[in-house]
């Protein structure tokens, strides 16, 4: 089954990069990510770095209360409700934070646009029938998820590397090791995060055959998740609730978020599998 | 010992929008045969094919394909190929890429799948179009590619839904030759509206109507090839019944109004082959100065089909 899924993934990946919609979504994501990161790099170079220098000097005099950094941290604590995350955010290069923020904000929409017809594209034209003569339904689903997952991995990696090289060239006091470590960490977290939404797209694509309706449904679900995450009682039931934890420097908090995203991903994917197993193709 | 069956169905039933597309269908396809699957439009042929391939789930009843129940089709997946109806190929890929991909998915190595793609493309005369993308195929080319993918590898069972529909006569002939060449190596289930074609290439057939089996049997049984001979005379002969009364194997003779066409019902005599009976009949007619225009054994599948559906 896995060999067949891998063959489908390879074939589908090389087909997907020939489709305008997938290419458009990927390029859009990469441009937004790099654009936001580039703006952050310039702010980092002109505002944050001098501010950090001042903070260090003030800190050396054992009085940080009046520094701009402290004020920003207070604001972040107010909005995020987590002092550790606020501190971590201030401590990391702004472009890394900006880049990860873009990923967490736009990746679900990128996936919705790119993968809304992950399974239905094969069902609508009945091309799935040629595959099902040669492999089980599970291989079709996992192969398609794998190929779209690889697209997400590639897109995030391209954006990561491009931004890293840009920051390296633009920032004189660039902490290469810190940036590289953080970007690698956030890239891995992005993949777990993306898996959840890709599985959701897979589920929707087994339920809805029309592409525009599937995209609208996915957008609606993403908005619903955001709304529900604002409700204290219901928020643990939606993936958006665990987004903040991905920023956390505390391994346990980050691990809970990663587990939640993987868990949601498995639940959505199981739903997609059950639906695909039972339906006519 | 009973004959081995490549396909067995028992009470196969499928509804679409509350309407029965297939209604308790029970039939068998003997292993190694070329088996015709006939029925008028909407009789349930394509739905039955789709259930046998595992594309759609029956609402009730079951079937065994190469001795595996439908729920375990994965076990025989690489031994069964099919030409599904109205299925599209990936629009962005060349037909060569598509066939190689299907070959690899069937368990072939990359080299084997390339060789197989080349072979089957040649059989459907698509070698020169190998770089054409799936989305740019004409109806006829798509049909030929569908047939090509069904002939990939060495399947034990091939299900062909309307394989020659939309093909030009030369290509249709080529496809029929390919099907006949599979005889002895694989079981082939063919649905077609071309009854002459089915009569020509199939050993046996099932006729369905309104989702139900109407009849099933060998081609000789269905056409009455062993029961009846139709002779067209150049000139009408007087008192044909008397002329043929000397033949022990003749059960009944009926002549057309103009006396040119004779329908002669044969009776089975121990030790007398049908061929000998036909020779006796023709000898008697020639001895009475009759001239023979044509001879046809049986009434023809079309006649039988029209009678039953």
């Amino acid at each position: 089954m896995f060999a067949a899924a891998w063959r489908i993934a390879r074939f589908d990946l090389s087909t997907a990069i020939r489709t305008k919609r997938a290419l458009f979504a990927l390029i859009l994501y990469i441009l937004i990510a790099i654009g936001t990161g580039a703006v952050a790099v310039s702010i980092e170079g002109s505002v944050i770095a001098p501010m950090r220098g001042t903070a260090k000097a003030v800190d050396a005099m054992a009085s940080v209360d009046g520094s701009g950094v402290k004020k920003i941290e207070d604001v972040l604590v107010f909005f995020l409700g987590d002092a550790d995350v606020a501190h971590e955010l201030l401590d990391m290069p702004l472009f890394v934070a900006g880049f990860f923020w873009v990923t967490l904000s736009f990746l679900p929409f990128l996936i919705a646009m790119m993968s809304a017809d992950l399974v239905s594209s094969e069902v609508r034209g009945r091309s799935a029938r040629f595959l099902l003569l040669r492999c089980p339904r599970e291989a079709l689903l996992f192969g398609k998820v794998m190929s779209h997952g690889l697209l997400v991995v590639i897109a995030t990696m391209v954006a990561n590397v491009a931004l890293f090289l840009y920051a390296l060239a633009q920032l004189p006091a660039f902490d290469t090791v810190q940036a590289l470590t953080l970007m690698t960490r956030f890239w891995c977290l992005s993949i777990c995060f993306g898996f959840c939404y890709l599985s959701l797209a897979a589920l929707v694509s087994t339920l809805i055959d029309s592409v525009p309706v599937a995209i609208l449904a996915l957008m609606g679900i993403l908005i619903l998740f955001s709304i529900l995450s604002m409700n204290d009682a219901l928020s643990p039931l939606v993936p958006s609730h665990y987004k903040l934890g991905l920023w956390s420097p505390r391994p346990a908090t980050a691990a809970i978020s990663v587990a939640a995203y993987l868990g949601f991903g498995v639940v959505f994917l199981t739903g997609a599998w059950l639906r695909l197993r039972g339906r006519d193709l | 010992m009973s004959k081995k069956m490549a396909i067995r169905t028992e009470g196969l039933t499928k509804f679409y929008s509350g309407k029965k597309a297939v209604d308790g269908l029970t039939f068998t396809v003997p292993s190694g045969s070329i088996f015709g699957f006939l029925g008028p439009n909407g009789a349930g042929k394509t739905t039955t094919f789709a259930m046998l391939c595992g594309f759609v789930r029956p609402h009730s009843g079951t079937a065994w394909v190469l001795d595996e129940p439908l729920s375990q089709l994965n076990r025989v997946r690489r031994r069964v190929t099919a030409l599904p109806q109205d299925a599209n190929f990936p629009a962005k890929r060349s037909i060569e890429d598509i066939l190689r991909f299907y070959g690899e998915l069937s368990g072939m190595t990359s080299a084997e799948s390339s060789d197989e793609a080349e072979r089957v493309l040649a059989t459907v005369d698509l070698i020169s179009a190998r770089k054409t993308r799936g989305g740019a195929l004409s109806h006829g080319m798509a049909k030929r590619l569908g047939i090509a993918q069904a002939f990939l590898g060495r399947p034990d069972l091939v299900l062909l839904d309307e394989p020659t529909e939309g093909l030009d006569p030369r290509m249709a002939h080529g496809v029929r030759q390919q099907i006949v060449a599979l005889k002895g190596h694989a079981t082939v289930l063919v649905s077609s509206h071309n009854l002459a074609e089915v009569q020509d290439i199939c050993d046996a057939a099932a006729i369905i109507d309104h989702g139900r089996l109407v009849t099933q049997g060998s081609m000789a049984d269905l056409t009455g090839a062993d029961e009846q001979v139709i002779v067209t005379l150049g000139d009408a002969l007087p008192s044909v019944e008397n002329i043929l009364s000397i033949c022990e194997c003749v059960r009944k003779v009926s002549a057309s109004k103009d006396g040119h066409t004779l329908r002669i019902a044969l009776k089975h005599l121990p030790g007398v082959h049908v061929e000998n009976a036909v020779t006796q009949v023709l000898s008697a007619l020639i001895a009475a100065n009759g001239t023979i225009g044509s001879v046809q054994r049986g009434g023809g599948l079309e006649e039988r089909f029209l009678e039953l559906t």
Side-chain angles (χ1 to χ4, degrees):
Chain A
M1 199 278 279
F2 290 106
W6 174 238
R7 284 195 182 98
I8 291 172
R10 263 183 12 200
F11 186 80
D12 194 59
L13 189 62
S14 53
T15 307
I17 55 173
R18 292 162 212 235
T19 60
K20 287 183 192 137
R21 186 158 49 90
L23 270 185
F24 173 74
L26 284 175
I27 291 169
L28 189 69
Y29 163 74
I30 291 171
L31 287 180
I32 290 174
I34 293 175
T36 310
V39 170
V41 165
S42 61
I43 296 173
E44 174 92 23
S46 56
V47 181
I48 305 290
M51 204 186 276
R52 280 208 182 99
T54 310
K56 275 180 187 163
V58 174
D59 196 27
M61 290 184 284
S63 168
V64 293
D65 289 352
S67 75
V69 174
K70 180 65 185 161
K71 283 179 183 166
I72 295 171
E73 189 171 341
D74 289 343
V75 172
L76 284 174
V77 171
F78 175 76
F79 279 110
L80 300 174
D82 189 321
D84 285 342
V85 173
H87 189 74
E88 171 83 352
L89 271 172
L90 275 178
D91 203 34
M92 72 175 67
L94 182 64
F95 79 90
V96 176
F99 175 76
F100 192 46
W101 176 80
V102 165
T103 298
L104 296 186
S105 304
F106 290 100
L107 197 59
F109 292 97
L110 159 86
I111 291 170
M113 276 178 66
M114 196 179 71
S115 309
D117 62 345
L118 186 128
V119 172
S120 61
S121 62
E122 299 287 349
V123 176
R124 256 191 337 270
R126 293 184 174 173
S127 51
R129 292 187 168 192
F130 292 117
L131 304 180
L132 294 178
L133 286 168
R134 297 167 171 94
C135 69
R137 291 175 182 222
E138 297 78 55
L140 169 65
L141 175 67
F142 295 135
K144 300 288 285 186
V145 169
M146 224 188 281
S147 80
H148 285 232
L150 282 171
L151 277 177
V152 171
V153 168
I154 291 166
T156 47
M157 186 193 268
V158 167
N160 249 315
V161 171
L163 194 60
F164 180 78
L165 294 175
Y166 180 71
L168 193 64
Q170 293 294 312
L171 297 173
F174 184 66
D175 186 344
T176 316
V177 176
Q178 187 205 19
L180 202 59
T181 310
L182 279 169
M183 291 190 84
T184 307
R185 182 179 126 202
F186 287 152
W187 181 59
C188 294
L189 292 174
S190 304
I191 292 168
C192 299
F193 177 78
F195 168 69
C196 167
Y197 290 98
L198 187 57
S199 302
L200 176 65
L203 173 60
V204 170
S205 76
T206 58
L207 295 167
I208 302 169
D209 286 348
S210 155
V211 186
V213 176
I215 291 177
L216 283 175
L218 272 168
M219 298 291 179
I221 292 168
L222 293 178
I223 293 165
L224 183 70
F225 281 173
S226 300
I227 295 168
L228 288 177
S229 68
M230 287 186 263
N231 180 300
D232 287 344
L234 296 174
S235 67
L237 300 175
V238 295
S240 325
H241 172 75
Y242 302 92
K243 200 153 69 175
L244 187 64
L246 295 175
W247 293 92
S248 178
R250 287 189 303 270
T253 311
I256 288 170
S257 284
V258 167
Y261 278 106
L262 293 178
F264 277 113
V266 169
V267 169
F268 295 145
L269 202 56
T270 305
W273 173 62
L274 289 173
R275 170 66 184 144
L276 189 65
R277 204 176 61 157
R279 71 170 289 179
D280 290 343
L281 294 170
Chain B
M1 202 173 92
S2 64
K3 195 170 180 186
K4 200 168 160 57
M5 295 297 159
I7 295 173
R8 279 185 294 139
T9 74
E10 270 182 24
L12 217 49
T13 301
K14 179 72 184 176
F15 293 89
Y16 282 125
S17 310
K19 196 180 161 213
K20 272 184 184 173
V22 174
D23 185 5
L25 183 64
T26 300
F27 76 105
T28 53
V29 177
S31 286
S33 65
I34 298 178
F35 195 91
F37 196 53
L38 310 172
N41 288 333
K45 302 186 296 294
T46 297
T47 304
T48 305
F49 267 72
M51 285 191 280
L52 293 174
C53 291
F55 304 147
V56 304
R57 310 290 198 203
H59 282 107
S60 63
T62 190
W64 289 263
V65 175
L66 298 176
D67 291 329
E68 294 293 345
L70 289 182
S71 58
Q72 301 295 332
L73 268 189
N74 285 339
R75 291 183 188 162
V76 291
R77 205 160 284 282
R78 289 176 179 177
R79 294 169 59 203
V80 181
T81 64
L83 166 67
Q85 227 180 47
D86 303 327
N88 297 332
F89 291 100
K92 304 276 179 190
R93 305 305 296 270
S94 72
I95 59 178
E96 188 180 35
D97 281 353
I98 292 167
L99 287 175
R100 282 164 54 185
F101 168 53
Y102 291 162
E104 285 183 26
L105 210 50
S106 303
M108 295 176 202
T109 63
S110 181
E112 285 168 349
S113 65
S114 293
D115 290 348
E116 269 298 284
E118 188 85 5
R119 181 183 70 79
V120 295
L121 281 175
T123 63
V124 293
D125 203 15
L126 277 178
I127 287 280
S128 59
R130 64 171 67 177
K131 298 290 177 200
T132 308
R133 294 199 303 179
L137 298 174
S138 66
H139 176 75
M141 285 169 88
K143 176 68 90 174
R144 280 147 68 190
L145 180 58
I147 291 162
Q149 64 80 37
F151 288 152
L152 272 175
R154 304 207 176 281
D156 292 325
L157 175 63
V158 185
L159 297 103
L160 302 169
D161 196 359
E162 304 279 0
T164 56
E165 185 232 349
L167 296 183
D168 63 60
R170 198 174 67 85
M171 188 48 63
H173 175 76
V175 169
R176 281 194 289 273
Q177 297 297 106
Q178 289 293 319
I179 294 171
V180 171
L182 286 172
K183 193 170 167 62
H185 307 291
T187 308
V188 187
L189 181 64
V190 192
S191 92
S192 177
H193 285 300
N194 184 340
L195 298 176
E197 171 182 277
V198 171
Q199 187 172 351
D200 199 28
I201 64 173
C202 293
D203 311 313
I207 298 175
I208 67 167
D209 195 14
H210 295 103
R212 293 189 202 127
L213 181 72
V214 176
T215 188
Q216 158 167 19
S218 69
M219 203 49 71
D221 288 344
L222 288 173
T223 57
D226 294 347
E227 314 281 328
Q228 179 180 240
V229 60
I230 299 169
V231 180
T232 312
L233 299 172
D235 295 306
L237 286 172
S239 56
V240 186
E241 288 83 356
N242 288 341
I243 295 168
L244 293 176
S245 63
I246 58 164
C247 303
E248 286 182 332
C249 55
V250 171
R251 184 159 53 83
K252 189 182 166 194
V253 180
S254 55
S256 60
K257 277 183 185 168
D258 62 5
H260 283 271
T261 306
L262 307 177
R263 284 179 177 272
I264 302 152
L266 303 173
K267 61 183 169 195
H268 294 286
L269 298 174
V272 179
H273 289 291
V274 181
E275 289 79 6
N276 294 337
V278 174
T279 307
Q280 262 188 35
V281 167
L282 295 178
S283 300
L285 291 170
I286 291 165
N289 292 324
T291 50
I292 311 295
S294 66
V295 181
Q296 180 193 322
R297 274 180 63 185
L301 190 58
E302 185 175 67
E303 198 175 304
R304 186 79 170 135
F305 181 85
L306 293 173
E307 183 187 310
L308 293 170
T309 60

